[in-house]
Amino acid sequence: MSISELPVVTLKPRKALPFFSRHPWVFAGGIGSVSGSPEVGAEVVLKSHEGQFIARGLYNSNSKIRVRLYSWDKEQACDHSLWQQRIDAAIDLRKSLFEGTPALKACRLVFSEADGLSGLVVDCINDWIVTQWTSAALVTHQEAINQILNDRLAPKGIWQRTEKGMNELEGLTIQDGLLSGEEPPRPLFVEENGLKFGVDLQEGQKTGFYFDQRENRAQAARFARGKVLDLCCYSGSFSLNMARQERCESVIGVDSSESALDLARYNAELNRLIHKTSFINSDAAPYLENAVEEGQRFDTIVLDPPKMTRTQGGLNRAIKGYVKLNRLAMQALNPNGILITCSCSGHISRETFEQILLSASLDAKRTVQILEQRGQAADHPVSAACLETNYLKCFICRVV
């Protein structure tokens, strides 16, 4: 379809600058008018209030993100050729990063906005790939995109995962399940930092494994010592990176999911570290509260909670939650203990997280020295045009 035949989304006055700068999300509040009645997934043209062409994108009347932008070239349609270009570029980046290493079989291949494919995440886990869709508009191109992935990667199978809350936010109707090929075994096995991990691709959290913390786990282990507490441990990736360090005496992993803990115990046995580890079913805050009350103390604490807010409206509540968890962790640390504290909430900026640590330290009456500030691994690149992709904060701290 030629550009002249496409529905036109016109912005309100003084709303165009972010999109000329290639930000991919057009929210409903910035739109002045829409010509015609485009269906979900229809290609549209975005124009400024003055009628100037900005970009081409896909429309979704059911989402707060009414238009996701993909092409800033008048002649480049949102079609098979564009998806092919973006997927090829994304895969080539990971090959350049990881060729000849185990990470090539255990990484994020496509990271949504950062790879120019807003609403799509693709992970490689051994010989399978897992897709996660967060855009109902882009899902209308699912068949073409899955075919490109099959042609380029020749996986044994493609498994689809959904993200909690996205069906309601986007009007999605997709479900978890096999899209093509063979069902993945449970578990699949990946190698990271010289350790082997079983991954439940079908029912594990998110897409099965948190590759974004790969380098952070290795670096945090260099600081860890003594008695270690790993909160929100999931399948034990931080725990086992630390347990194999001679200076770490013991590691307790805590998680609210018993199925995650079963996998963590399995991974500890797989890596012959079961003698140094134990895993406990509990929420993080109650466990810490009890530890502080009973006078339990640790030399190293890892705090890596799930995302605490998905919207700007939940920001204040999330900040209070982070302050509480970090205060309790500081109170449970021995003098000069190490705190590895993380936030994967995109609405929590790095500066806000620093303020959270300050508030927590004042409440705990402890002095905090930030030794390192880290982010996500390179297979989760940050788009300079969409800084929301810079979501992961990992601070390694000394608590005096």
Side-chain angles (χ1 to χ4, degrees), residues 259-275:
S259 61
L261 294 174
D262 286 341
L263 193 52
R265 294 182 189 104
Y266 178 89
N267 288 331
E269 291 180 1
L270 183 67
N271 290 281
R272 300 181 179 179
L273 292 168
I274 195 69
H275 64 289

Side-chain angles (χ1 to χ4, degrees), residues 23 28 41 43 96 108 153 177 180 246 255 257 279 288 367 397 400:
H23 197 285
E43 186 173 8
S96 71
R108 177 143 296 177
L153 299 167
S180 65
E246 288 187 10
D255 201 277
S257 167
F279 296 95
L288 280 171
T367 298
C397 308
V400 180

Side-chain angles (χ1 to χ4, degrees), residues 41-97:
E43 186 173 8
V44 297
V45 175
L46 183 70
K47 292 187 176 182
S48 69
H49 178 67
E50 294 81 12
Q52 185 176 358
F53 170 83
I54 300 175
R56 299 169 71 141
L58 302 180
Y59 188 79
N60 183 0
S61 59
N62 299 318
S63 173
K64 290 181 180 179
I65 304 176
R66 287 295 159 84
V67 185
R68 292 180 187 257
L69 302 176
Y70 298 97
S71 172
W72 281 260
D73 180 347
K74 277 186 180 181
E75 308 306 318
Q76 176 61 71
C78 299
D79 60 11
H80 188 281
S81 65
L82 181 60
W83 314 140
Q84 179 84 61
Q85 291 171 24
R86 298 286 164 80
I87 290 170
D88 283 347
I91 293 171
D92 288 346
L93 170 62
R94 278 66 180 183
K95 282 193 170 182
S96 71
L97 292 171

Side-chain angles (χ1 to χ4, degrees), residues 41-339:
E43 186 173 8
V44 297
V45 175
L46 183 70
K47 292 187 176 182
S48 69
H49 178 67
E50 294 81 12
Q52 185 176 358
F53 170 83
I54 300 175
R56 299 169 71 141
L58 302 180
Y59 188 79
N60 183 0
S61 59
N62 299 318
S63 173
K64 290 181 180 179
I65 304 176
R66 287 295 159 84
V67 185
R68 292 180 187 257
L69 302 176
Y70 298 97
S71 172
W72 281 260
D73 180 347
K74 277 186 180 181
E75 308 306 318
Q76 176 61 71
C78 299
D79 60 11
H80 188 281
S81 65
L82 181 60
W83 314 140
Q84 179 84 61
Q85 291 171 24
R86 298 286 164 80
I87 290 170
D88 283 347
I91 293 171
D92 288 346
L93 170 62
R94 278 66 180 183
K95 282 193 170 182
S96 71
L97 292 171
F98 301 132
E99 191 74 72
T101 73
L104 192 60
K105 286 284 191 177
C107 69
R108 177 143 296 177
L109 291 175
V110 176
F111 182 41
S112 199
E113 290 79 15
D115 286 303
L117 287 165
S118 177
L120 175 64
V121 162
V122 181
D123 280 358
C124 173
I125 300 178
N126 207 329
D127 292 315
W128 277 260
I129 59 176
V130 54
T131 60
Q132 187 176 62
W133 302 82
T134 55
S135 164
L138 191 60
V139 163
T140 62
H141 294 261
Q142 183 182 60
E143 185 177 345
I145 289 172
N146 285 340
Q147 188 59 55
I148 293 167
L149 292 170
N150 266 314
D151 291 345
R152 178 69 197 267
L153 299 167
K156 289 185 177 179
I158 299 179
W159 189 268
Q160 177 173 274
R161 294 296 303 268
T162 53
E163 184 172 347
K164 183 179 178 181
M166 275 299 159
N167 283 7
E168 293 77 15
L169 288 172
E170 281 285 311
L172 281 164
T173 57
I174 60 175
Q175 303 295 325
D176 290 10
L178 186 68
L179 296 181
S180 65
E182 306 171 20
E183 280 199 10
R186 302 175 66 187
L188 281 167
F189 294 95
V190 299
E191 183 178 338
E192 178 191 283
N193 301 329
L195 294 163
K196 291 183 179 179
F197 291 95
V199 178
D200 188 345
L201 189 154
Q202 295 188 34
E203 293 188 9
Q205 295 174 17
K206 305 289 275 188
T207 54
F209 198 74
Y210 294 98
F211 298 119
D212 53 356
Q213 293 273 32
R214 183 189 303 106
E215 284 82 13
N216 296 338
R217 289 188 279 261
Q219 186 66 2
R222 297 187 181 103
F223 287 85
R225 63 180 187 274
K227 293 175 61 178
V228 178
L229 176 63
D230 180 12
L231 294 155
C232 309
C233 68
Y234 185 41
S235 58
S237 47
F238 266 109
S239 296
L240 299 187
N241 271 275
M242 294 181 174
R244 69 174 175 173
Q245 306 298 319
E246 288 187 10
R247 62 184 175 276
C248 292
E249 300 166 16
S250 62
V251 179
I252 297 174
V254 176
D255 201 277
S256 61
S257 167
E258 189 59 51
S259 61
L261 294 174
D262 286 341
L263 193 52
R265 294 182 189 104
Y266 178 89
N267 288 331
E269 291 180 1
L270 183 67
N271 290 281
R272 300 181 179 179
L273 292 168
I274 195 69
H275 64 289
K276 290 183 70 173
T277 57
S278 58
F279 296 95
I280 297 171
N281 188 305
S282 175
D283 288 328
Y287 186 90
L288 280 171
E289 286 170 337
N290 187 62
V292 170
E293 185 177 334
E294 293 185 352
Q296 295 182 55
R297 294 296 180 265
F298 301 89
D299 301 297
T300 305
I301 294 180
V302 180
L303 190 54
D304 186 20
K307 186 183 295 185
M308 287 197 181
T309 181
R310 298 178 183 278
T311 65
Q312 191 70 23
L315 182 59
N316 288 336
R317 183 179 177 183
I319 289 171
K320 290 179 182 177
Y322 281 117
V323 170
K324 178 181 178 180
L325 281 175
N326 281 278
R327 169 180 60 79
L328 289 167
M330 291 173 192
Q331 290 173 327
L333 275 168
N334 282 320
N336 304 319
I338 296 295
L339 174 64

